[in-house]
Amino acid sequence: DAGVPEGGLRLAVDGDRLNSLVDPEDVTRVRREGDHIVEIGKGLEWYDGFDTGLFLATPGLFAALREAEAEGDTSLSGGVRRLAARGRALALEVGGGFWCDLDDEAALRRAEKALLARLRGKAHDGPVSRWLNRPLSIRLSRWLARLPVTPNQISLFSFGLSLAAAGLFMLGGYPALAAGGVLAQVASIVDGCDGEIARLKHLGSDYGGWLDAVLDRYADAFLLFGLTWHLLHAGGGDAALVAGFLAIVGSFLVSYTADKYDGLMRERGGSRFRIGRDVRVFAIFLGTVLDQVFAVLVLIAAVMNLETLRRLVVCRG
Amino acid sequence: DAGVPEGGLRLAVDGDRLNSLVDPEDVTRVRREGDHIVEIGKGLEWYDGFDTGLFLATPGLFAALREAEAEGDTSLSGGVRRLAARGRALALEVGGGFWCDLDDEAALRRAEKALLARLRGKAHDGPVSRWLNRPLSIRLSRWLARLPVTPNQISLFSFGLSLAAAGLFMLGGYPALAAGGVLAQVASIVDGCDGEIARLKHLGSDYGGWLDAVLDRYADAFLLFGLTWHLLHAGGGDAALVAGFLAIVGSFLVSYTADKYDGLMRERGGSRFRIGRDVRVFAIFLGTVLDQVFAVLVLIAAVMNLETLRRLVVCRG
């Protein structure tokens, strides 16, 4: 029982009359009284919603269509109008939901663009995500959406790229180091696609988000370990060991404390200062390309552990 | 407004007539009809609860006590009885809550024992906690409860002990290694006291539990880093480096995935297999005392990463 009247239908109606995806020349309009559809048609001057084209109908619709046809009206709206006259056509408000009418190539391109635009500005996106990773990952997702890949497969692929980057770091020498840094940044960009494809294809799942988070923790650790190994084998000594260890621990702790900290900041409604994975990987990218591995490990170690300490204080107060 | 009737009182009543902390010779009994106390006294044969001695009373009680006194009844129950007769004595059921009547030294000892016994068998306790750490930490908490220390101070003290243990590992040589291992195990035992004192003194807080968890993550990392350092400086080479890194990462990931995994297992009602911090620290203790540092790092690395992998699979299925 989805609230369809006996012998009638229920039609999804969009009450957002400013919906920019609607073609005003072509759209069918609806006037309602409460749940009841009272008028429907393309030419309606007084209307309070658009016909989305999504019906849940009983076979009664076919009888109504035949009646309308007998009177010379062969439109779908003709059948609905006859059911509406008997109080058997109800509306379901879907304003705010995504829908669009696809009649031609231009409409398809508009729809694609609108869907992709909805992927921007995820609440947790840090600055590097927002200005570098997200614009590129959205372009990539546009292409990936046509392939039969799942979000979890993308998460695993991105994780594999990070492992390969760590392996390049461990090879030693500047060229491999810089190549690893570029690959780590590419992995971070690809890592945005799992969530985007999940949202585009309605494949989002609690498990998928969690798997991605766990793989990200491993990826972070392997990247930093790769850099530490690189330094140690270049004669970095105990200082490299300590910096690498503190960078790994600090990065973990920032992730470990994120839920609690975000929850508290949401409660307090304050601005959310956030140093996340996007910034970390970008620092690694810059540090390797500039051949400043020790500096970047010290930087990550300092920033991440101080941020953890700051959270311990902020959450207490 | 705590639901105290005008000019009357509300009395906390324990409906658990099998409460083993109650002295049947001395306790005041109560008979109720709904919320209303209808009879009260030591000798009551028909009763459905015990007077805990906790009142929320209006000054009306004093007037009632004076009335009772005038009639030769100088007991507190005498006053309550007179209020009850006017429907002005209500009960508040507290069955299951902890209370006891302290009249003498023997009762004090019974109460202490009962309070400490309630600290056992925390849901998350692993095997080492249950059989080794908890029995010892409860003895320690019994003594700590007399001092003005807060749970968070105990967490920080235990963290300091772990750092000192890591420092001993890094010193090099077997005696310092073994001493560090013993100290790490002592820190793990002391770490049980923060929660116990919090529960004993009703100082438990969301923040306190979180702080303890964050400090535990740092303590774990420093202990494993100390062992790795120990091995590297004893000529352990890359194998030691890799084993230490994987042990640190695996331990973190097991903690990182604990919430999700526990939540899922609670939902499914299945038995909860759990390798936690208690087992990890105990393995470190054994490994150092037996001078098998590399073996214990490999063991922790293998078990923790395989457990993380197992959770990724279990949570998916």
Side-chain angles (χ1 to χ4, degrees):
Chain A
D1 175 45
V4 181
E6 211 187 313
L9 58 81
R10 198 177 261 272
L11 169 61
V13 173
D14 182 2
D16 174 14
R17 290 190 295 176
L18 298 175
N19 187 335
S20 61
L21 281 168
V22 167
D23 176 0
E25 302 294 309
D26 188 50
V27 72
T28 298
R29 296 162 178 182
V30 169
R31 191 153 64 77
R32 291 170 284 186
E33 269 170 22
D35 264 7
H36 284 80
I37 294 170
V38 293
E39 259 192 284
I40 185 167
K42 297 213 179 210
L44 279 193
E45 203 171 330
W46 298 97
Y47 64 98
D48 57 12
F50 300 123
D51 169 356
T52 64
L54 265 170
F55 286 92
L56 198 56
T58 63
L61 174 60
F62 298 107
L65 284 169
R66 257 174 259 118
E67 280 175 46
E69 194 191 2
E71 294 167 33
D73 180 356
T74 58
S75 72
L76 186 53
S77 296
V80 178
R81 205 172 292 124
R82 271 150 191 86
L83 286 176
R86 289 167 215 149
R88 296 206 171 154
L90 299 183
L92 179 73
E93 176 59 53
V94 297
F98 183 88
W99 71 280
C100 65
D101 204 19
L102 289 190
D103 292 326
D104 51 30
E105 284 280 332
L108 179 62
R109 274 191 297 275
R110 266 204 312 280
E112 270 192 354
K113 219 176 140 188
L115 270 173
L116 291 167
R118 286 161 65 94
L119 300 177
R120 285 181 163 279
K122 241 190 94 189
H124 282 317
D125 274 0
V128 177
S129 253
R130 194 173 299 268
W131 305 113
L132 174 68
N133 297 359
R134 191 66 75 189
L136 294 172
S137 65
I138 287 177
R139 281 191 180 80
L140 197 57
S141 287
R142 187 183 177 174
W143 175 74
L144 283 171
R146 288 167 169 74
L147 306 179
V149 293
T150 66
N152 290 350
Q153 284 166 350
I154 299 171
S155 301
L156 283 165
F157 180 70
S158 163
F159 177 60
L161 291 182
S162 289
L163 285 191
L168 283 171
F169 295 159
M170 292 170 78
L171 272 185
Y174 175 74
L177 181 71
V182 173
L183 193 57
Q185 186 58 41
V186 169
S188 181
I189 292 164
V190 171
D191 194 37
C193 295
D194 49 11
E196 291 166 11
I197 292 293
R199 279 176 285 159
L200 274 178
K201 294 189 169 182
H202 299 286
L203 291 172
S205 72
D206 188 32
Y207 177 80
W210 182 67
L211 174 71
D212 186 37
V214 171
L215 291 177
D216 282 354
R217 300 295 79 74
Y218 267 114
D220 282 349
F222 274 97
L223 288 177
L224 293 170
F225 180 67
L227 293 180
T228 309
W229 177 285
H230 177 96
L231 277 184
L232 284 173
H233 283 254
D238 286 347
L241 192 62
V242 170
F245 166 71
L246 290 177
I248 291 173
V249 175
S251 299
F252 258 119
L253 263 295
V254 164
S255 302
Y256 191 74
T257 56
D259 276 355
K260 174 93 173 177
Y261 176 71
D262 286 349
L264 190 83
M265 288 301 107
R266 217 173 298 127
E267 247 172 57
R268 295 200 188 157
S271 81
R272 243 185 290 169
F273 170 70
R274 212 171 195 285
I275 300 178
R277 179 155 207 262
D278 61 326
V279 179
R280 232 147 44 210
V281 176
F282 191 67
I284 290 174
F285 163 66
L286 285 184
T288 52
V289 168
L290 300 175
D291 204 4
Q292 295 294 327
V293 176
F294 183 64
V296 84
L297 284 183
V298 169
L299 183 76
I300 291 177
V303 172
M304 294 298 147
N305 287 293
L306 286 174
E307 169 65 5
T308 304
L309 190 63
R310 192 185 73 85
R311 290 179 179 185
L312 286 181
V313 174
V314 166
C315 288
R316 178 166 201 190
Chain B
D1 174 46
V4 181
E6 211 186 312
L9 59 82
R10 199 175 261 272
L11 170 61
V13 172
D14 182 1
D16 174 13
R17 290 190 296 176
L18 299 175
N19 187 335
S20 61
L21 281 168
V22 167
D23 176 359
E25 301 294 310
D26 188 49
V27 72
T28 300
R29 295 162 179 183
V30 169
R31 190 153 63 78
R32 290 170 285 185
E33 268 169 24
D35 263 7
H36 284 79
I37 293 171
V38 292
E39 258 192 285
I40 185 167
K42 297 215 180 210
L44 280 192
E45 203 170 331
W46 297 98
Y47 65 97
D48 58 12
F50 299 123
D51 170 356
T52 64
L54 264 170
F55 285 92
L56 197 59
T58 63
L61 175 59
F62 298 107
L65 284 170
R66 258 176 258 117
E67 279 175 45
E69 194 191 2
E71 293 168 34
D73 180 355
T74 57
S75 72
L76 186 55
S77 296
V80 179
R81 205 172 293 123
R82 271 151 191 88
L83 286 174
R86 290 168 215 149
R88 294 203 172 154
L90 299 184
L92 179 73
E93 176 61 51
V94 296
F98 183 87
W99 71 281
C100 65
D101 204 18
L102 288 191
D103 292 327
D104 51 30
E105 285 280 333
L108 179 63
R109 276 191 296 274
R110 264 204 312 280
E112 270 192 355
K113 220 175 137 187
L115 269 174
L116 291 167
R118 286 161 65 94
L119 301 177
R120 288 181 161 279
K122 241 189 93 189
H124 282 320
D125 274 0
V128 178
S129 254
R130 194 173 299 268
W131 304 114
L132 174 68
N133 297 0
R134 192 64 76 189
L136 293 171
S137 65
I138 287 178
R139 281 191 179 80
L140 197 56
S141 287
R142 188 184 176 172
W143 175 75
L144 282 171
R146 288 167 168 74
L147 306 179
V149 292
T150 67
N152 290 351
Q153 285 165 351
I154 299 172
S155 301
L156 283 166
F157 180 70
S158 161
F159 177 60
L161 291 181
S162 289
L163 285 191
L168 284 171
F169 294 160
M170 291 168 77
L171 272 185
Y174 175 73
L177 180 73
V182 172
L183 193 57
Q185 185 59 41
V186 169
S188 180
I189 291 164
V190 171
D191 193 38
C193 295
D194 49 11
E196 290 166 9
I197 292 292
R199 279 176 284 161
L200 272 179
K201 294 189 169 183
H202 299 285
L203 292 173
S205 72
D206 189 31
Y207 178 79
W210 182 66
L211 174 71
D212 186 38
V214 171
L215 291 178
D216 281 354
R217 298 297 79 74
Y218 267 115
D220 281 349
F222 274 95
L223 287 176
L224 293 169
F225 180 68
L227 292 180
T228 308
W229 178 286
H230 176 98
L231 277 184
L232 284 174
H233 283 254
D238 287 347
L241 192 62
V242 170
F245 166 70
L246 290 176
I248 291 173
V249 176
S251 299
F252 259 119
L253 264 294
V254 163
S255 302
Y256 190 75
T257 56
D259 276 356
K260 173 92 173 178
Y261 176 71
D262 286 350
L264 189 84
M265 288 301 106
R266 217 174 297 125
E267 247 172 56
R268 296 200 188 157
S271 79
R272 244 186 290 169
F273 170 71
R274 212 170 194 285
I275 300 177
R277 180 156 204 261
D278 60 327
V279 178
R280 233 148 42 211
V281 176
F282 191 68
I284 290 174
F285 163 66
L286 285 183
T288 52
V289 169
L290 300 175
D291 202 4
Q292 294 295 326
V293 176
F294 183 64
V296 84
L297 284 182
V298 169
L299 183 75
I300 290 177
V303 172
M304 294 298 147
N305 288 295
L306 287 174
E307 170 65 6
T308 304
L309 190 64
R310 191 184 74 85
R311 289 179 180 185
L312 287 180
V313 174
V314 166
C315 288
R316 177 165 203 191

